[in-house]
Amino acid sequence: MCDYPGCTASGEYRAPKSRTLLDQYFWFCLDHVRAYNAKWDFYKGMSAGQIEAQLRSDTGWQRPTWPLGRLGARFLDEDALRDPLHVLATGRARAADRARAETPPDLREPLTTLGLDWPVTLDTVKTRYKELAKRHHPDANGGDRAAEERLKTINLAYAAVRTHLAAEPRLAAAG
Ligand SMILES: [Zn+2]
């Protein structure tokens, strides 16, 4: 049975009783282990008894709705959980989404042109640019006008990314 006061769901997920009792556990249902997990920082410095008292007084826990992505997996027992809501196993996908969302708007098109994903380093961009410039150079395409146009687009994309990275040397160096 879930340790949350008044909850009758089965308590399948464990969470430490306090920061000082990391080997003693509450057993919660999925909703309540998540609520507890989300409140973990709030419980900092509280004893297990104080946390239990807080659980009892905290009506905000009733039937919570949890925004996806906000929940850490700190106390979720992954084996027991089997990830019914796909909030755990998607860390990599979420990282990719975040990277896409963080792409500077002025670089989205240039990076697509170069076939690169944010974040990029100057070296990565240079290497890719050289490959593309060689492949799409009109001389390598029998003087093809379309190749010439492609190369112009690639040049513009490269210039845009290079300018951006030069303006943010911290990012360029960190990559
Ligand atoms: Zn519960």
Side-chain angles (χ1 to χ4, degrees), residues 19 24 26 29 35 62 67-68 79 86 88-89 95 98-99 101 103 107 118 130 134 139 147 151 163-164 167 175:
R19 274 179 164 72
Q24 289 184 36
F26 290 120
C29 67
Q62 301 292 350
L68 270 180
D79 286 336
H86 299 280
L88 297 177
R98 198 160 49 236
T103 305
L107 291 191
W118 187 259
K130 280 182 194 161
K134 203 168 155 188
D139 289 352
L151 186 59
T163 304
H164 186 100

Side-chain angles (χ1 to χ4, degrees), residues 110-124:
L111 286 176
T112 303
T113 299
L114 299 173
L116 294 170
D117 290 322
W118 187 259
V120 293
T121 65
L122 196 52
D123 281 348
T124 314

Side-chain angles (χ1 to χ4, degrees), residues 26-82:
F26 290 120
W27 290 89
F28 292 121
C29 67
L30 181 57
D31 277 351
H32 286 134
V33 78
R34 285 179 164 166
Y36 188 77
N37 189 9
K39 286 228 165 194
W40 182 243
D41 290 333
F42 172 77
Y43 295 137
K44 191 174 183 175
M46 290 189 192
S47 69
Q50 287 169 325
I51 291 175
E52 283 203 64
Q54 189 66 41
L55 294 188
R56 272 172 233 295
S57 68
D58 191 352
T59 53
W61 269 38
Q62 301 292 350
R63 296 286 101 205
T65 51
W66 304 104
L68 270 180
R70 190 189 129 211
L71 306 162
R74 266 185 294 208
F75 308 130
L76 296 179
D77 179 338
E78 289 190 52
D79 286 336
L81 182 57
R82 293 185 299 278

Side-chain angles (χ1 to χ4, degrees), residues 106-116 118 120-134 136 149-167 172:
D106 57 318
L107 291 191
R108 281 183 196 146
E109 207 181 313
L111 286 176
T112 303
T113 299
L114 299 173
L116 294 170
W118 187 259
V120 293
T121 65
L122 196 52
D123 281 348
T124 314
V125 177
K126 262 185 197 164
T127 306
R128 175 59 59 94
Y129 170 72
K130 280 182 194 161
E131 286 168 17
L132 292 174
K134 203 168 155 188
H136 294 288
E149 289 305 311
R150 282 199 299 275
L151 186 59
K152 270 185 200 165
T153 309
I154 290 162
N155 285 339
L156 286 173
Y158 177 53
V161 177
R162 220 180 30 191
T163 304
H164 186 100
L165 291 179

Side-chain angles (χ1 to χ4, degrees), residues 2 4 7 9 29 32:
C2 175
Y4 180 78
C7 182
C29 67
H32 286 134

